Amino acid sequence: MHLIVCVKQVPDTTDVRIDPETNTLVREGVPSILNPYDAHACEEAVSLKERYGGEVTAVSMGPLQAVEALRDCIAIGADRAVLVSDRAFAGSDTLATSYAVWSAIRAAEKAWGPAQVILCGKQAIDGDTAQVGPGVARRLDVPQITYALRVVELDADANTITVERRVEKGLEMVVSPLPCLLTCVEEMNEIRYASLPNLIRSLRYEAVIWGVKDLEADPTLCGLKGSPTAVARVFAPPEREPGEMIEGETAAAKVSGLIARLRERLGQSAPVN
Amino acid sequence: MASEQPFTAQADKLDRLEFDVVIVGGGCAGLAAATVCARAGLRPIVLERGRPGNKNVMGGVLYTRPTAEVFGEFWREAPVERSVIEQSLWVLTEDSALKIGYRSKAFAEGTPNAFTVLRARIDAWFAGQAAAAGALVVPNTKVEEVLRDGERVIGVRTSRPDGDVYAPVTIICEGVNPQLTQQLGMQGEIEPRDMSSVTKEVIALPPEVIQDRFHLAQDEGATIELFGDSSARLLGLAWIYTNRDTISIGVGVSLNDYVKTQVTPHDMLQRLKAHPMVEALVDGGEVREYSSHMIPEGGWNKLPQLYGDGVMVCGDAAMLVNAVHREGSNHAIWSGKLAAETAVLAHERGDFSRRTLANYWHRLYREVPTIRDLRKYRYAMTYPEKHRAVLGAYPDLASYAAREMLTVDGVTKREKEWRILRQALRARSVFGMAYDAIEALRLI
Amino acid sequence: MNEGLADKLYLLKYNIDDESHLVLKNPERCKKCESRECIYRCPAEVYSWEGDHLQIAFENCVECGVCKIVCPDCNIDWRYPRGGFGVFFKYG
C-alpha cells in the first residue's frame, strides 16, 4: 500500500508578534515548523502503515528550506519525502497550490506506485483556508473525507476505508472506496516521540526535489499565473473593547444594574418604581 | 583513521548506534568539541536536549581569542551583536554610582577583543559550523544516564525509544547542572555556596538610542559591571551589556547569600532596573525576554574529576568559571577543544583509558593561563563572606569620599580628608580595614 | 518598565510535556519545612503553598536548577524536561 501525506512548512504562529505601529505581522526571526495538523496526518499515515503495511511518502511544496518540515515527517516514520520547489510556483494561491501538489502526487505515484490513501492536515495555521486538501481531492477525482477523526478500518480486499469524522453536532461514520483523501484533525492521534534512529535518519535525509519540468506541469497553471486570487492586505483586527463587569452585593442588585445598563444603551430612561 | 577502526567492545554492531565520540550538550563546550573532532576526521554525535542555543543563557560577553581558535574569524559571519570598546565598573549606593571605566577603539581593531552575543543566535551558528565540519548534531534529545562497562564509560542512554548511543569516548558538556558528572561520582554534592542564581532580561531599544545612551558608533558595544547596591549588598554582580537592538541586563547573587533573605530573583532584577542610574539606560525599552540560569562559582576547590576511563568533562559542568572576571564561555570553548584533541589522540593510540585522557587536564592547566587563574582566585568567593564591609560599608564610603572631594563648599581639602577618615572609622575599625586590605592583597 | 513576572513568563515560548519533570520525593516532608526556600528562590514562581501542600507549576519552569540546591531537605527529584520539551529561549 502506498500512503501519501501532503504537508506544509508554516511560521510558528505562536511566535508571531503584531507590530503595533504598522499593524502587520512581524515574521522576522520567527522559526518555521511543520504545520501541526499535517504532523497529525503524517502520524496517521505512519500508523496506517504499521497496521496494514506499505510505504509512506511525504510531499510538500515550498522554498528549499521547507525540507526541514519534511525531515520532521521522516522522524515520525515516513519512508521518503519529496519537495516541490521551483520559482514558477512562487505566489501560488490555494488553486495553484492544489495544482502543484496534485502534480507532485501524480509524479510520486508514477515513481512509487498508485496511492490508496492521501492524507492532509485539515488546514494550515498560517492561511487557515482548509482549501488545498479538498482541491487536491477534486483534481485527483477521488472522494474526500474532511475533519477525519479516526480510521476505523481499511479493508484492502473490499477496497474501502471506514472513517469517523467530526461534524458540528457529533460524529459521522463514513465508508468510502479507495483511493480516498482524508483531511485530519489534531484529536486524531498523538504524535509519537520519535525513536533516536528515526531522528538521526531524518537529520541526514536529503529530500527528493522536483521542479516544474520534473512534474510535467503546465506553467500557466502554476504560481502567480495560475492564481486567480491575491491577498489585498494583511492587518490585525481592531482590538475588541473589554467587557464590563457589573458589580453588586446580591444577585438582585446585579440584575438591576444590568437592566439599568441595557436601558442606558437603548436610550430609555429608568422606569418609575 | 579512527573511522576505519570501529569500536569493538561488544558484538552486534548493526543494531547499535555507534560513533567515535559522544558529546553530551550542544553549548559552547560541546559544539567546540564536536567541530574539532569532526575536522580531525572523527565521527562525533552531539546530543542536545533543546535546539542548539535555545536552552542556553549567559550574561553575554564572548571573548574572541579562544572562540577564534576553534571557529576562526567567526565575527565576520556569525551573528555577534557589538564589538566591546568600553568596559566599566560601577560601585552603586542607593542613589549614586562611582564609575571606573576604560574605553579604547583599539579593542575593536584587527582581531577584536570581545563581542556581546545572544546565545540562542550564536550557538545556532556554532551548531551549523559543527554540522558543516561533519558532526551529527541531534536536537531535542536528552541524555538520561551514562552507560558503563565496569568503570569504563561506553556511551549514553537518551530518553528516546531505541536511544542508546555508544562510543569509546564520551565528552560531557552538560552545563551548570552536572547530573551525569555526579552520577559518575566525579562531582560531589552541589551546595548553595557553589552557585549563583542569575536573572536576566533582554530589553529592546532602537540601535540609535543605544548608541546615544552609551556613546557608541554603529558596531561598537559597551559593558558595565555593577557592584554594591545593585545586588542589595548581597554577594553578587550585576551587568548591563549593549547588543545590536537590545540591552542585556542581569544580576547574579550567590545562593548562599540569597537564602538569608526573602528577596526573589525577579525582585532583585526589578530593584536593579529601578535604580536611577540604571533606569536611565533602559528607559522606554520593551522587555523581550526574561530568563534565569545559574553560574557555577565553586571555583578551584570544587572542580570535579575532569577525566576518567572513556570520559571527559568540560565547561560549566566542570565548574570552569572565574566568577570574579566573568569568564566562563572562554573556558568552555577551550576545554571543549582540548577534550576533543585528547579524543583524537586516544583514537590514534587506541587507548581510551584515563591514562591517555589525563592529557586533557594536563594541557588545560598548562596551556590555558586563565585556568591557572582559577587556582589563584580559589579564595576569592569566600573573601566577601568574611569581609562584609566590601559589600556594605565600602561602597557607601567610596561614594561619600567622592562626593566630599568633588563638592566645592568652602572647606579645605585637608579638612575633607579628615572628614572622610572619620567617616571611615565610624564604619569600620582601623584593624578591620587593615585586615580587609591585607586579605584583598593576598587575592591579587 | 515595572511589568509583573507573569507578563514576562508569558513572553517565553514553552513546549509543555504532559507530565511534570519536577517531582517531590516525599510531599509529606514539605509540610514540616519552615524555610520554603523553593518558593522564594525560584525565578519563575513554580512553587507555591496551596492550603496544605506545595503546588508545582512545572510548566513555568525556566530550568535553572536552583530549587534542587536550595531545598534544605533535598526533597526535589530534579531533572530537566524530556528532550524537546520545556522552555525555548529566543535570545538567551
Side-chain angles (χ1 to χ4, degrees), chain C residues 53-64:
Chain C
H53 69 283
L54 189 67
Q55 184 79 27
I56 304 181
F58 76 93
E59 58 279 359
N60 278 353
C61 178
V62 291
E63 300 164 26
C64 68

Side-chain angles (χ1 to χ4, degrees), chain A residues 12 14-15 29 31 190 193, chain C residues 13 18 82-85 90:
Chain A
D12 189 347
T14 56
D15 250 10
E190 213 166 284
Y193 197 53
Chain C
K13 185 172 170 54
D18 300 333
R82 198 153 57 117
F85 290 90
K90 280 177 265 182

Side-chain angles (χ1 to χ4, degrees), chain B residues 5 22 66 73 81-82 102 138-139 145 163 182-183 199 215 232 271 321 343 364 401:
Chain B
Q5 312 171 353
V22 170
E73 296 192 339
E81 297 294 318
R82 289 171 182 271
Y102 182 74
V138 181
E145 58 179 301
Q182 287 179 314
Q183 208 182 83
T199 37
H215 313 293
R271 199 178 167 283
V321 170
L364 193 63

Side-chain angles (χ1 to χ4, degrees), chain B residues 54 201 263 270 289-290, chain C residues 8 41 43 63 80 89-90:
Chain B
N54 289 101
E201 272 172 23
V263 187
Q270 288 300 96
E289 187 167 272
Y290 168 79
Chain C
K8 290 176 194 168
R41 296 290 85 81
E63 300 164 26
Y80 285 119
F89 294 116
K90 280 177 265 182

Side-chain angles (χ1 to χ4, degrees), chain A residues 84-100:
Chain A
V84 175
S85 193
D86 198 308
R87 261 170 200 223
F89 294 124
S92 295
D93 69 357
T94 55
L95 189 76
T97 302
S98 68
Y99 176 72

